[in-house]
Amino acid sequence: QVQLVESGGGLVQPGGSLRLSCVRSGGFFRIYTMGWYRQAPGNQRELVATITSGGSTDYADSVKGRFTISRDNARNTVYLQMNSLKPEDTAVYYCTQGAPGPHYWGQGTQVTVSS
């Protein structure tokens, strides 16, 4: 049974930083592409960043240069370092497990950027 548990969300001022973590239960973490999505109120869920089993990364244009996705295979954990946060980054952030196999989603963690 795969479970994804996010943590690290909260309230931060514009220009601040947060680091999100996602711990995956179950084996073979290292073979999966992992990612982060977000959903703001009234908006569709959108892709933020992905990292493959080989460590290749991809980012939404809106977060390039500010966010960094990384993984620690020994800890079954994927991270999202978010710097220079803007009010428009406010959303629920979801961790996801991708290929190979079906997608799994975490329960989400709220990030609010406000002064």
Side-chain angles (χ1 to χ4, degrees), residues 4 20 22 32-39 45-53 55-71 78-82 89 92-99 103-105:
L4 303 171
L20 305 184
C22 171
Y32 294 101
T33 291
M34 302 296 295
W36 290 94
Y37 283 70
R38 68 185 180 186
Q39 188 168 19
R45 193 171 294 189
E46 63 174 356
L47 177 65
V48 176
T50 59
I51 184 166
T52 68
S53 58
S56 296
T57 58
D58 195 19
Y59 298 92
D61 287 344
S62 59
V63 307
K64 282 182 181 176
R66 301 188 297 122
F67 290 12
T68 302
I69 189 171
S70 61
R71 64 191 298 158
V78 60
Y79 303 99
L80 185 68
Q81 178 67 44
M82 306 185 294
D89 294 318
V92 178
Y93 283 72
Y94 297 91
C95 174
T96 181
Q97 174 189 299
H103 266 75
Y104 289 93
W105 297 88

Side-chain angles (χ1 to χ4, degrees), residues 4-5 21 23 27 33 35 41 47 60 62 68 75 79 84 86 95 106 109 113:
L4 303 171
V5 180
S21 300
V23 179
T33 291
L47 177 65
S62 59
T68 302
R75 297 178 184 272
Y79 303 99
S84 302
K86 304 175 181 180
C95 174
T109 186
V113 185

